[in-house]
Amino acid sequence: MAHSPVLYVAAGAFLSYLLYTRIALYLARQRIIKENGCKPCRARFNKDPILGLDVMKMMKENTKKHIVLQENKKRFQKLGNTFHTRLVNMPIIATCEPENIKTVLSLRFKDYSFDHRTAAFTPLLGHGIFNADGERWANSRHLLRPNFARDQVADIDAFERHFKLMLKHIPRDGATVDLQELFFLLTIDTATEFLFNHSTNSLRMFGKEDDTNEDIVFGKAFNYAQDDVGTRSRYGFFDRFRNNQKGEEAIKICHTYIEKFVDDALRFRKEMDEEKRAGNHKDEKYYFIQEVAKQTTDSKRIRDELINILLAGRDTTASLLSNMFFQLAKKPDIYGKLREEIAALEGRTPTYDELKNMKYLKWCLNESLRTHPVVPSNSRLAIRDTILPRGGGPDGQAPLFVPKGTMVGYSPYVMHRRKDIYGADADEYKPERWETLRPGWEYLPFNGGPRICLGQQYALTEASYVTVRLVQEFSQIESRDPEDWIEGLTLTLCSLNGVKVGLTPA
Ligand code: HEM
């Protein structure tokens, strides 16, 4: 069959265009490399150069054995602070270098996006702050930021109410209790009250199986949907082939539950507007959801933002408390020092300012977030050709070129345990080290740069309050877990076996 000459010309033109763009890209990249003194990084982890299937297999095994983080640390120790790897079709640069992390999160913030995680996050989180980029993210941040001002986050009365409910579930005869289980109930109760002005009150219902109670149904569905975000991330491209009816149902339950509170808030806003028009001004108590509803009437947008903050704020604070109490239960001397500091309150419940001034308490929290950062690893996707200041050359001190489409994975867990930064005892839980420690980008539990955690003060206030109250109520804590801490890694990092302790009333 004869081919038309037009076809040959078209194919030739296309190939020439392809060649031209390739050469232009190559030359542009060479220019960036030369101008910035970039050197190649020879350290590479994966053996399978095409799909990185060996990495996938190893990740699966390490996940099963609960040793993902410790193995990751060993890998950095072997290969250096920055190395190349690959997962399926994604080239990755892994780093635990503070200067590189600062560059990704702050100095070259605009060179990176979250695109690689939106497919897994969008079904539950829509386009809320945690799952948005660019303009959309900036709008969300602008909308939500005012709600995290000091007055709003310091609702000590609410913390005390929920703490009292938790206290009812802690045996006073020294019998073993899992504090981690209680912390997760406490933080969903406080977070839902803070966000929706309606608490799930799961501590009130704890132990009573009632599958008709919509707060309980929501709590369970939220746990499921949240774990499912992790599963979706792990499956990546292949997730679309998974039958996930239970996940879809859980998301629907979560959305419907929250939409009810959004409707209430929008109704309230309408009434307020009418009152204002009629010249009646009422003194309003502050409610998160109502403040957001004052700025937008888009009900889906409000729902998405709220579920994003619930996800960002609930497990994180519970995990911090759990990881810290695991250590305190193993180290009675540290618990004793905390009691000494808290004795200054003479049994009174603490105010916000008193909490902020407790130095040893702050060291204990900082140290927990250092040894067990609740977001232990994270990543960003390069959306244009860019550079990192470290990782190139044989000693890893030269700049490194990052081609567009590369994922930069960074590990606060490994960085927080670097012996050249924190000393030979970097793996140990030692609050006292904070007496002289003033880290910058070497310490990153709450992220840094424009996307730094919005709820940091809320989390630290809640964790401080709960710790002080527990230490006031119980003179001693004893670990009932013969094992060391084992990694329980989902979207956040807590203890696999919970925090099993016996407590002695004060
Ligand atoms: C110990 C507790 C917490 C830790 C360690 C923590 C840590 C983090 C980290 C590492 C990020 C960055 C995630 C990323 O960019 O991939 C983040 C973002 C965020 N956190 Fe937290 N968080 C905690 C508690 C909270 C709480 C209690 C809230 C809200 C009530 C909250 C709200 C947020 C929000 C809204 C973002 C997204 C900020 C943005 O993208 O602009 N966090 N947090």
Side-chain angles (χ1 to χ4, degrees):
M1 195 175 71
H3 292 292
S4 135
V6 178
L7 212 61
Y8 285 119
V9 172
F14 178 69
L15 285 176
S16 309
Y17 170 75
L18 218 61
L19 197 64
Y20 168 76
T21 50
R22 282 291 145 133
I23 292 172
L25 182 67
Y26 175 80
L27 292 176
R29 288 182 165 174
Q30 286 307 111
R31 207 169 40 245
I32 299 177
I33 289 170
K34 198 164 165 226
E35 276 170 13
N36 292 285
C38 295
K39 301 228 169 85
C41 167
R42 302 267 177 237
R44 171 168 292 280
F45 176 59
N46 57 305
K47 293 195 183 91
D48 170 357
I50 300 181
L51 290 175
L53 291 179
D54 52 329
V55 179
M56 226 162 132
K57 187 163 166 263
M58 178 219 63
M59 291 279 286
K60 214 170 147 200
E61 277 162 16
N62 292 346
T63 305
K64 225 160 134 192
K65 293 187 203 154
H66 309 287
I67 52 169
V68 171
L69 297 173
Q70 70 192 57
E71 288 302 306
N72 200 18
K73 190 173 123 210
K74 281 188 203 155
R75 201 170 311 135
F76 275 106
Q77 279 165 347
K78 194 168 147 211
L79 296 170
N81 293 331
T82 303
F83 61 86
H84 285 287
T85 182
R86 162 175 287 278
L87 206 55
V88 194
N89 58 345
M90 178 72 81
I92 299 170
I93 293 175
T95 188
C96 65
E97 201 61 273
E99 283 301 314
N100 282 349
I101 302 178
K102 178 165 86 176
T103 302
V104 172
L105 298 181
S106 180
L107 303 178
R108 290 179 177 255
F109 174 73
K110 292 203 167 138
D111 291 352
Y112 294 91
S113 87
F114 275 158
D115 275 0
H116 57 304
R117 69 185 204 194
T118 45
F121 280 41
T122 305
L124 178 66
L125 299 176
H127 298 289
I129 184 162
F130 216 64
N131 192 33
D133 267 322
E135 269 301 282
R136 199 172 225 163
W137 163 77
N139 281 336
S140 289
R141 183 105 185 167
H142 183 73
L143 178 78
L144 299 171
R145 200 185 151 82
N147 298 300
F148 287 95
R150 188 202 131 153
D151 286 352
Q152 277 89 308
V153 299
D155 192 352
I156 299 279
D157 293 346
F159 292 148
E160 175 64 18
R161 243 184 303 114
H162 292 287
F163 174 79
K164 285 219 172 89
L165 287 172
M166 184 175 87
L167 204 54
K168 287 190 181 162
H169 299 291
I170 301 181
R172 300 192 80 83
D173 60 357
T176 302
V177 62
D178 181 0
L179 284 181
Q180 180 163 288
E181 187 175 18
L182 296 179
F183 290 147
F184 273 75
L185 296 176
L186 177 85
T187 54
I188 197 165
D189 287 354
T190 51
T192 45
E193 176 162 331
F194 171 62
L195 294 172
F196 311 151
N197 187 26
H198 171 98
S199 173
T200 38
N201 273 326
S202 48
L203 280 165
R204 209 185 283 280
M205 304 297 292
F206 183 47
K208 302 174 197 155
E209 274 305 310
D210 180 0
D211 281 347
T212 58
N213 180 300
E214 58 176 6
D215 296 327
I216 293 185
V217 173
F218 166 73
K220 285 186 179 163
F222 185 66
N223 288 344
Y224 191 91
Q226 189 177 275
D227 286 347
D228 195 50
V229 172
T231 314
R232 283 174 200 263
S233 302
R234 276 192 300 281
Y235 272 70
F237 171 82
F238 300 103
D239 189 60
R240 67 199 71 194
F241 305 114
R242 186 170 61 110
N243 176 7
N244 187 19
Q245 201 187 339
K246 204 166 166 205
E248 302 298 335
E249 273 166 20
I251 290 171
K252 192 146 197 303
I253 292 171
C254 294
H255 286 173
T256 311
Y257 179 85
I258 298 176
E259 277 157 12
K260 206 175 54 187
F261 302 118
V262 175
D263 290 345
D264 287 348
L266 287 172
R267 206 171 308 118
F268 177 81
R269 171 189 162 152
K270 209 166 150 221
E271 282 165 19
M272 291 302 295
D273 288 349
E274 279 161 14
E275 292 273 347
K276 272 191 193 139
R277 270 197 296 276
N280 305 328
H281 282 270
K282 277 195 204 155
D283 261 353
E284 300 164 39
K285 184 174 174 340
Y286 164 85
Y287 294 114
F288 193 105
I289 191 168
Q290 285 167 9
E291 290 305 311
V292 181
K294 277 183 196 163
Q295 295 168 68
T296 173
T297 51
D298 180 342
S299 55
K300 181 171 179 307
R301 168 123 198 252
I302 304 174
R303 181 197 80 189
D304 284 354
E305 297 297 3
L306 290 176
I307 202 158
N308 275 253
I309 301 173
L310 184 61
L311 180 109
R314 182 270 178 119
D315 278 19
T316 44
T317 313
S319 298
L320 162 59
L321 278 164
S322 303
N323 293 331
M324 185 175 74
F325 270 87
F326 191 98
Q327 299 300 331
L328 297 180
K330 294 277 187 194
K331 298 179 175 66
D333 55 320
I334 296 179
Y335 192 80
K337 286 187 197 162
L338 259 182
R339 262 186 78 75
E340 276 168 32
E341 180 171 75
I342 287 163
L345 293 171
E346 295 172 337
R348 276 182 300 106
T349 56
T351 63
Y352 178 81
D353 289 326
E354 281 167 337
L355 285 178
K356 292 283 134 199
N357 290 327
M358 290 188 174
K359 207 168 68 179
Y360 197 70
L361 171 65
K362 198 186 272 169
W363 294 355
C364 289
L365 290 163
N366 285 353
E367 186 66 347
S368 177
L369 288 167
R370 186 187 69 81
T371 51
H372 299 95
V374 303
V375 183
S377 18
N378 211 327
S379 57
R380 297 289 190 262
L381 184 75
I383 50 172
R384 56 180 68 95
D385 288 347
T386 183
I387 60 154
L388 291 172
R390 301 270 186 282
D395 61 357
Q397 292 306 303
L400 179 64
F401 176 67
V402 183
K404 175 183 172 179
T406 304
M407 188 169 105
V408 177
Y410 59 95
S411 173
Y413 177 89
V414 177
M415 182 171 70
H416 288 181
R417 286 169 178 249
R418 270 177 61 173
K419 292 192 169 49
D420 58 330
I421 299 177
Y422 289 98
D425 59 358
D427 284 325
E428 287 169 44
Y429 181 82
K430 277 191 182 168
E432 281 69 18
R433 76 173 79 236
W434 287 88
E435 185 155 17
T436 50
L437 207 57
R438 299 285 175 274
W441 284 84
E442 299 82 14
Y443 179 68
L444 218 58
F446 292 101
N447 234 34
R451 294 195 83 141
I452 193 168
C453 173
L454 265 180
Q456 178 169 348
Q457 283 319 314
Y458 180 97
L460 292 175
T461 308
E462 178 167 22
S464 300
Y465 191 84
V466 173
T467 306
V468 168
R469 295 292 291 116
L470 272 173
V471 173
Q472 282 179 320
E473 291 288 331
F474 299 98
S475 61
Q476 280 175 28
I477 186 167
E478 182 190 279
S479 172
R480 298 280 163 80
D481 183 348
E483 303 257 14
D484 281 341
W485 182 93
I486 301 174
E487 148 192 318
L489 187 58
T490 50
L491 282 184
T492 59
L493 175 68
C494 62
S495 155
L496 180 72
N497 294 329
V499 182
K500 312 254 174 41
V501 299
L503 290 148
T504 310

